[in-house]
Amino acid sequence: MIFQIRLFGFFSSLFLGFSLISPAQNFSLQGRIMDFDSKEHIEGAAVTLHNTAFGTFSNGAGNFQIDNILSEKYTLAITAPGYNRHEKVIRLEADLELGTIYLVKYGSEGTGAALQKTIRATNVSRQLVERPNLMGNTIYGISPEPKKVEGNFYLDNQWNVASILLYREQTVLEGFRVRYNINSNMFELMEPEKQLVSVMPGLRIQNIVWMDSAYNVPRYFVNGMDFKEDGVPISGFFEVIVEGELPLMRRTIAVFKESNYNTALMVGNRNDQIIKRNVYYYLRGKDLFEVPKRRKKLFPIFDEKAEEMKAFAHENEIDLKETGAIFQLFTYYNSQFPGFVPIMEQLLDDNN
């Protein structure tokens, strides 16, 4: 027992001696996280040092800071919903400013093959280090390339300058840039000065007009709650394509399609997909009706002008299978009534 006490005292003295010679130093780590494509700040990204208790989240401006970190070599990991994981090895020997770190969205366009190869290499390296004897549908411990999500839930991925009319007291908001998430029925609003992003539920907005960033023309959207389909109000927003006596409206639906890839046969789509599809409606009063796809049901919706519309389609060789045909018919019909103002045809895409 005496020997054990003396031995403990020896090691305690030895540890104390090393502490006096090499005192531990603490440093700080900071940086900013942004979207690779849009160059917008990312709020709420998780920033951690792998296998440690050090961690934080990015704020509204994308900034993060971790203090009192021991001098050591670490693996920095940054994750955010909808983005590929970012990892980087750092050695902390002084306060470290990492600058701007860009995260890449799943299925992001324009990132280039080189960036995807980098992501692939990171995943392969991690498998070789953490699971070198992995078996199954892998070769020599290297797992297949992880699937990604292609596409997104935004009606328009770009930020567009908008004028927003709220239901409450008919308040108008101007000067914001907006994006609309079809899936959540949420609008993201960015202040132009501070570039801070806030979220507003679609149920608070009566209508919104934004300046299309591609064609520099206004696009007009109305809340489906003000209309009815089969006697029931609709959640989500409709774009007014043709105004007039019989308005043409479009609703974009986003559907999540899961990967059908067969690993054994190596066939099918490897990635999950978000597919957007347009559904066209005409409006009578407050009631919405889906535009019929067949000729026999389409022309009767124009009532007493049905035969005239049929003749117009025949004379102009309009192919009703094409999306633009609907626009042509409704434009011609509504142009026969006073006060008609056409909308640019470029905004009629083919997401069908």
Side-chain angles (χ1 to χ4, degrees):
M1 179 65 69
I2 296 174
F3 171 77
Q4 291 178 343
I5 294 174
R6 288 177 178 174
L7 189 63
F8 174 76
F10 169 75
F11 281 115
S12 297
S13 300
L14 183 64
F15 176 78
L16 180 60
F18 277 122
S19 299
L20 293 174
I21 296 172
S22 303
Q25 297 186 53
N26 295 343
F27 302 108
S28 66
L29 176 69
Q30 57 184 321
R32 171 176 290 183
I33 304 172
M34 299 182 72
D35 184 290
F36 180 87
D37 293 316
S38 67
K39 302 299 185 291
E40 302 297 337
H41 307 130
I42 299 177
E43 181 180 4
V47 183
T48 59
L49 299 181
H50 197 53
N51 292 328
T52 75
F54 294 107
T56 186
F57 293 93
S58 59
N59 61 22
N63 296 318
F64 69 87
Q65 180 168 331
I66 305 175
D67 297 315
N68 298 320
I69 310 173
L70 295 175
S71 176
E72 185 57 77
K73 181 180 179 181
Y74 298 98
T75 298
L76 172 71
I78 302 176
T79 58
Y83 289 87
N84 288 291
R85 182 186 180 93
H86 176 92
E87 288 191 356
K88 180 178 182 179
V89 176
I90 60 172
R91 182 176 293 278
L92 209 62
E93 297 175 338
D95 291 341
L96 183 58
E97 166 60 64
L98 295 174
T100 301
I101 299 172
Y102 293 101
L103 297 189
V104 181
K105 285 182 178 177
Y106 295 136
S108 175
E109 298 180 0
T111 57
L115 185 56
Q116 294 301 328
K117 289 180 180 179
T118 301
I119 297 171
R120 169 69 169 150
T122 301
N123 292 328
V124 171
S125 299
R126 190 181 304 157
Q127 288 287 1
L128 291 174
V129 173
E130 299 179 2
R131 305 175 67 186
N133 299 316
L134 188 67
M135 302 297 290
N137 294 318
T138 58
I139 301 175
Y140 304 114
I142 302 177
S143 64
E145 182 178 358
K147 66 179 181 180
K148 301 181 287 291
V149 178
E150 298 176 351
N152 57 70
F153 285 110
Y154 290 108
L155 180 62
D156 183 348
N157 195 42
Q158 301 299 317
W159 293 92
N160 298 284
V161 178
S163 178
I164 305 167
L165 176 64
L166 304 180
Y167 279 110
R168 187 176 181 180
E169 299 178 354
Q170 296 293 285
T171 304
V172 176
L173 302 180
E174 294 184 313
F176 288 90
R177 293 184 178 272
V178 302
R179 292 193 304 187
Y180 176 59
N181 188 307
I182 302 169
N183 188 51
S184 63
N185 191 26
M186 292 281 191
F187 283 89
E188 297 178 4
L189 282 66
M190 180 174 65
E191 293 184 42
E193 295 182 0
K194 299 181 180 179
Q195 293 190 336
L196 297 178
V197 177
S198 58
V199 178
M200 180 176 293
L203 58 86
R204 293 184 55 191
I205 297 175
Q206 184 171 354
N207 60 57
I208 180 170
V209 181
W210 74 45
M211 187 62 65
D212 185 87
S213 57
Y215 300 106
N216 199 32
V217 294
R219 298 176 66 177
Y220 180 47
F221 299 86
V222 293
N223 199 323
M225 295 193 305
D226 289 333
F227 308 101
K228 294 182 179 180
E229 182 182 20
D230 296 328
V232 180
I234 305 174
S235 174
F237 280 75
F238 290 76
E239 181 174 4
V240 181
I241 302 297
V242 180
E243 287 190 286
E245 185 72 15
L246 191 67
L248 175 66
M249 306 171 75
R250 173 174 65 191
R251 185 186 187 196
T252 304
I253 299 173
V255 180
F256 183 85
K257 184 179 180 181
E258 195 170 357
S259 167
N260 61 353
Y261 186 73
N262 187 307
T263 306
L265 300 177
M266 293 187 292
V267 296
N269 195 327
R270 185 184 298 274
N271 298 324
D272 295 330
Q273 295 177 301
I274 298 174
I275 300 174
K276 296 171 188 173
R277 180 171 62 90
N278 291 326
V279 182
Y280 292 88
Y281 294 81
Y282 62 95
L283 180 66
R284 289 191 186 279
K286 291 290 185 180
D287 295 317
L288 284 165
F289 302 90
E290 188 172 343
V291 175
K293 294 181 175 61
R294 303 184 65 177
R295 296 178 65 96
K296 290 183 178 180
K297 294 185 177 181
L298 174 60
F299 291 110
I301 71 175
F302 298 107
D303 298 328
E304 70 277 0
K305 292 185 178 291
E307 291 302 320
E308 182 182 345
M309 295 301 299
K310 190 182 299 185
F312 171 78
H314 176 73
E315 292 170 4
N316 292 275
E317 300 180 349
I318 296 177
D319 185 355
L320 298 181
K321 294 181 181 179
E322 296 181 359
T323 306
I326 302 173
F327 175 82
Q328 287 179 278
L329 289 175
F330 275 82
T331 299
Y332 175 73
Y333 175 83
N334 286 287
S335 67
Q336 301 178 64
F337 297 89
F340 172 73
V341 178
I343 298 177
M344 292 187 68
E345 189 173 0
Q346 291 98 314
L347 295 179
L348 195 72
D349 53 31
D350 288 319
N351 292 335
N352 292 290

